[in-house]
Amino acid sequence: SRCRFVVSACLAGEYCRYDGGSNACAAVRELVRRGAAVTACPEGLACLPVPRPPCEIREGRVLSQDGRDLTADFFRGARLAMEIASRHGCTAAILKRRSPSCGVGQIYDGTFSRTLCPGDGLWARMLREAGFALYTEEHLPEDI
Ligand code: SF4
C-alpha cells in the first residue's frame, strides 16, 4: 500500500516512549485511522526495552543516561524505520520533537540537562537526506 506519511509511533498513541508513555496527537492518529500514514518507532524496531534510560547525542554518538553507547542500536532502528517508509512509498514524515531518533532540527545536547542544540535525530537525518518533507507534532502539514 502507498501512504504519504510515515509518523513517529508515539504520536499515533503507541506507548513506545523511553518512559513508557506516548505522545498521542489527534491529527496524527486521524491520518493513521484514514490509512494515510504508517507508524514506525526506530528505538522499538531496535528492540530497545520500554521503559529504557533516556538517550542523547553527543559528538555523533548516542549515549544513555546510564553511560552506555547505543549508537549501533539507534542506527539499526533508524534503518529499519527507513525500510518501512520506503516499502509504503512515503514521501513525508511527522516526527516527535527533540528525540535522539526522531527530533527535527533541534535535539538535546548530550549533557542530560534539558539543554537543546541544533541537530536532527538519527532517523530524522536519514529521512531528510532521502528527501522526505519533515514535520513535527507542533508543525503539522497544512493540507492533511
Ligand atoms: Fe517516539 Fe521516535 Fe522515541 Fe519511538 S524513537 S518513542 S517513535 S520519539
Side-chain angles (χ1 to χ4, degrees), residues 2-7 30-38 90:
R2 292 187 72 79
C3 274
R4 180 174 165 208
F5 294 102
V6 63
V7 299
E30 175 61 16
L31 285 174
V32 173
R33 194 193 62 76
R34 288 193 342 237
V38 62
C90 307

Side-chain angles (χ1 to χ4, degrees), residues 5 28 54 66-67 73-74 83 100 108 110:
F5 294 102
V28 171
D66 60 353
D73 300 86
F74 272 62
E83 282 176 24
Y108 291 109

